[in-house]
Amino acid sequence: MLDVLGLDAEAESIYRRMLADPQAGVAALGRALCLTEDRVRTGLDRLSELALIQPSAREGIGFRAVGPETAMEVLLARQQAELAAQQLRVEASRAAAAQLIAECSAFRPTATDAASEQLNGPEMIRERLAELAGSVRQEVATFAPGGAHTEEDLRASRQPNAALLERGVQMRTVYLDSVRNHRPTLDHVTWLNLQGGQVRTVPELPIRMIIFDRQQAVLPIDTEDARAGAVVLRGAGTVAALCALFEGVWSGAIPVGDAPKCDENEMPPHELAVLKMLAQGHTDEAIAKRMGVSPRTARRFAANLMERLDARSRFEAGVHAVQDGWLPATR
């Protein structure tokens, strides 16, 4: 019955027998359940691993079963921790998939084909983006990482954005939370929101990306330098995967008019994001880039969290965070 919570049938039968007969030792448990003493000890090891039995001071027994209410809490908490770890792996896989698509695009031939098109240099990128924006009919979905943007770039983007909105094109853009601390970028984001664009922010983003009408996606060839080149992807499967990545991030993002809120553990979103990246093994530089902050700020975030979690390594900090419930099972 409890195999869904990680407790196999034999260990469960031993646990139930211990509840029914608290005085039973290994031999008595074996006789009652028709099990060898070795199999009983194996089951007891599993129960001990799951913290469902504890040492007992009673002479000749040496262990006791915890109450069923406590046992269920322990099993459910363990399962939640496993789900949280799995969710981290899923989110890391989504981000890695998008980054891999972008990095592998650098090896595509420069000639266009049915599934892709390579753009070399900032001028070609600007021209192609303008063409795609001119032909878009329904929606533009954008990841805009990098933190604060230059005032020149912000001014240059206003007229094209306004033209899209006037045509009735839906615009959904995800910026980094760090733009809330940069007045020119925040002013632009607020303006875009007032014009009818939908703008949200998140603590970190996996990659720069623009998707047009869910049919074509533009990603940088070099994730370290978005101006070096880009690739336009049209493959249905690839674009569908990138759309799923966007929707996953969008659903957890905060509208620009709202302030980011702490979770149930009173942890701000930026700290939760750092925890996830620590658990995934990211460096200070990688964390800084994905959050749009300086490496020094990223190091301070990581050091503070490690101290709070009493962790000696970054991986250990991620493990402690899952075990202590700081990382929820879903986002």
Side-chain angles (χ1 to χ4, degrees):
M1 182 183 298
L2 299 180
D3 58 339
V4 70
L5 295 178
L7 187 62
D8 62 85
E10 197 160 274
E12 180 183 346
S13 67
I14 295 171
Y15 172 74
R16 289 177 178 272
R17 187 63 192 172
M18 292 177 69
L19 290 176
D21 185 3
Q23 303 298 325
V26 173
L29 289 169
R31 288 192 299 272
L33 299 171
C34 299
L35 297 173
T36 65
E37 291 192 11
D38 284 344
R39 289 172 67 181
V40 171
R41 293 185 189 281
T42 298
L44 291 173
D45 287 342
R46 180 56 177 163
L47 293 172
S48 177
E49 180 185 345
L50 295 173
L52 300 187
I53 61 174
Q54 295 179 351
S56 172
R58 292 179 180 177
E59 185 176 353
I61 299 177
F63 45 78
R64 66 177 180 84
V66 302
E69 295 84 1
T70 301
M72 293 307 99
E73 289 180 3
V74 169
L75 290 176
L76 288 169
R78 182 185 181 92
Q79 188 176 57
Q80 184 178 24
E82 291 173 353
L83 287 171
Q86 177 62 19
Q87 182 67 18
L88 285 178
R89 288 192 290 270
V90 170
E91 292 183 4
S93 296
R94 285 176 174 170
Q99 187 160 341
L100 180 63
I101 289 170
E103 291 174 352
C104 288
S105 66
F107 303 107
R108 296 176 184 269
T110 55
T112 61
D113 58 35
S116 68
E117 171 188 354
Q118 187 164 315
L119 310 173
N120 298 313
E123 184 174 347
M124 185 178 291
I125 294 173
R126 282 194 299 268
E127 291 178 357
R128 192 69 180 99
L129 286 175
E131 292 173 358
L132 291 169
S135 61
V136 68
R137 295 183 178 182
Q138 297 177 330
E139 181 188 51
V140 177
T142 304
F143 282 166
H149 295 247
T150 67
E151 294 189 48
E152 180 181 357
D153 286 345
L154 294 172
R155 284 194 300 270
S157 70
R158 286 204 174 190
Q159 192 279 329
N161 287 339
L164 285 172
L165 292 168
E166 288 175 3
R167 285 168 43 204
V169 174
Q170 182 185 37
M171 293 186 64
R172 291 191 294 163
T173 307
V174 183
Y175 286 87
L176 292 173
D177 284 344
S178 59
V179 304
R180 296 173 181 264
N181 301 317
H182 184 253
R183 175 51 59 183
T185 306
L186 181 59
D187 288 344
H188 173 78
V189 168
T190 302
W191 170 84
L192 186 60
N193 195 49
L194 291 173
Q195 299 303 308
Q198 299 179 57
V199 182
R200 298 184 181 183
T201 68
V202 292
E204 50 99 12
L205 282 169
I207 197 170
R208 184 177 301 277
M209 178 173 70
I210 307 176
I211 303 175
F212 297 89
D213 282 340
R214 296 179 171 268
Q215 295 179 350
Q216 300 185 86
V218 181
L219 289 83
I221 291 175
D222 183 354
T223 56
E224 299 296 325
D225 181 8
R227 295 175 179 270
V231 61
V232 183
L233 302 176
R234 305 186 187 91
T238 298
V239 175
L242 295 175
C243 287
L245 173 65
F246 179 87
E247 295 298 342
V249 173
W250 179 262
S251 66
I254 305 299
V256 71
D258 300 340
K261 297 179 181 179
C262 295
D263 67 1
E264 62 271 17
N265 295 309
E266 298 301 316
M267 179 176 292
H270 74 275
E271 290 190 358
L272 183 60
V274 173
L275 266 180
K276 288 183 177 182
M277 286 185 279
L278 288 178
Q280 295 164 6
H282 289 289
T283 64
D284 290 331
E285 289 72 19
I287 293 173
K289 181 179 179 182
R290 292 184 64 163
M291 297 185 71
V293 298
S294 68
R296 180 179 179 180
T297 298
R299 281 192 293 272
R300 176 166 53 82
F301 287 160
N304 290 342
L305 285 169
M306 289 177 64
E307 182 177 355
R308 289 172 61 184
L309 286 164
D310 192 25
R312 290 170 294 181
S313 70
R314 297 182 172 213
F315 177 78
E316 186 179 354
V319 172
H320 286 185
V322 171
Q323 292 174 340
D324 295 344
W326 284 27
L327 291 177
T330 58
R331 278 279 286 157

